[in-house]
Amino acid sequence: MRWYLKQDPDEKIVAHLQEVLGVDPIVGRLLAQRGIDTFEAAKKFFRPSLEDLHDPFLMADMTEAVHRILTAIKNRESILVFGDYDVDGTTSVALMYSYLKSLGAQVGTYIPDRYNEGYGISYQGIDYAIQQGVHLIIALDCGIKSIEHIQYASSKGVDFIICDHHLPGDIIPDAVAVLDPKRVDCLYPYKELCGCGVGFKLIEALNITQGLPFSSIEHYLDLVATAIAADVVPITGENRVLAYYGLKVINESPRPGIKALMKLYDLATYTMTDIVFKLAPKINAAGRIEHGNFTVELLTEATEEGANKTVEKIVNINEERKSLDQGITEEALKQIIDQKLINSKSTVVYSPSWHKGVIGIVASRLIDTYYRPTIVFTDSGDYLAASARSVKNFDIYQALEKCSEHLIQFGGHMYAAGLTIKKENLEAFRQKFEEVVASTIEETDLIPEIEIDAKIQFSEITDKFLRILKQFEPFGPGNPSPCFLTKEVFDTGYAKLAGARGEHLKVSFKQRRNPGYKFSAIGFNLGAQYENVKDKQHVDIIYSIEENNWRNKTTIQLQIKDLQLSW
């Protein structure tokens, strides 16, 4: 990995923050790196407030959306809530369905089948709505490019409200309302909401219009925080407020479905990282392997008993997902070697037998081994479908735009996308994609980079320092957990391998210049570094600082990101 120490922020800003906040220089540096330069900005950062949420009516078409929904409820029209099958989509559907149900609406849900319908609004879904006598469809986490689908629905007397957060095309669908902060004509101040976040702003606007207090919808924030974590949107601005209060709901009074998932782990407190690596994969599993309806059922379940039964199903589905994921990753890695793709600037692999529901995960796994833009294809009816994943600083969406002559359709964002092509175009696409990547990617971007916030000594790691660091949470894109560099540390004789295959490294470190301070450390998937620490060699380490709760005892633990010999 490339080690990159962030540039020193303006010394005057750091000194000012030290003075007005009473913090040490390291904390001042961390705040300044995050663009926080005043007492007021620091207050908003450390103390997120629901009062800082923006007026939902600043979003283009919000008034039209609210009016159409309230008219439908008043006239007892049937409403269908339509959403994607991933975490963002299913949480959005669960949120909107539950809220409209609480208003007495005639409402149902629809999650498209990943395999028969694919991503986004489908004609099959619209036809289902027509058969059910639905006059209004609310689409969440999809729809911003569904021009022809909306026209078709309109011709059949079905209105659409779209709540999306993906980049629009040149044409906005002709729906009753299109809520998307990324619309060029939308003046909404915060552009990085997830799909569930846009849905939440709609129910907030409905609440305001009916004169209902915000407290009546606060319990939906567990769904919003889950979507924010899983969809990897920036934890900045409004997302930070929503995530902060959503985590409070998750840890204090989660809905039965989320509570049932939490019971699978023995954690005192859940963080955004726990959602990403523990809860979200299971929530996602149903839509990947079986059907997203299982997830909506779980997230709208009213009783703990019912939620526990649904979680049992989802756990079994997730086990199948893990088995498929592992097997396909091994096949794909072999294909890269067999087809002599090791020295390429990109990875494009294909097998007709690969499970469509896990190819996105496999693409991410391949990047762990070959760090470069990656696309994994499999059969999808008469066509090939793929999931694309990228590396830092490389916009895979723009790269796909340059290959559009070979594509049937595609969508996504800078680091993740989905696409469909004709089978006979695979090789031409592979060559074009490799050409685009090779001509536009920087060589340094093909080496994973780890950013270091500050160089510190072990003596500076105190309980007070950790308490302040915890107030930087929730962590995520735009506000990552701070990474520190400490030089010339050595194992005190406790280094060992952990994990079923010895893939993890456990160490107890001291620093040469501060031998009075000792910290336990864990390095996930760093088992290969055991040789560098076992004989007390001096190493430089990059790590984050966390609490380790074990048998009712809380200690400071370092989570190692990388290490190398000091000399």
Side-chain angles (χ1 to χ4, degrees), residues 50-58 188-190 201 204 237-238:
L50 292 169
E51 293 180 0
D52 292 330
L53 295 178
H54 302 299
D55 179 353
F57 287 99
L58 293 174
Y188 195 74
Y190 189 72
K201 299 308 294 187
E204 186 184 355
E238 194 163 39

Side-chain angles (χ1 to χ4, degrees), residues 127-202:
D127 288 341
Y128 170 82
I130 294 167
Q131 292 165 10
Q132 298 299 312
V134 168
H135 292 100
L136 174 62
I137 297 176
I138 304 173
L140 297 121
D141 191 35
C142 60
I144 194 62
K145 290 188 174 181
S146 300
I147 312 298
E148 295 176 357
H149 292 87
I150 305 307
Q151 289 175 343
Y152 172 74
S154 181
S155 73
K156 300 294 184 178
V158 178
D159 289 339
F160 254 96
I161 293 171
I162 294 171
C163 301
D164 207 345
H165 69 120
H166 297 101
L167 283 168
D170 295 332
I171 302 172
I172 299 296
D174 188 20
V176 170
V178 179
L179 308 180
D180 187 335
K182 290 190 176 74
R183 283 177 56 171
V184 293
D185 61 340
C186 182
L187 301 179
Y188 195 74
Y190 189 72
K191 303 296 183 181
E192 300 300 332
L193 293 170
C194 62
C196 193
V198 176
F200 184 80
K201 299 308 294 187
L202 175 52

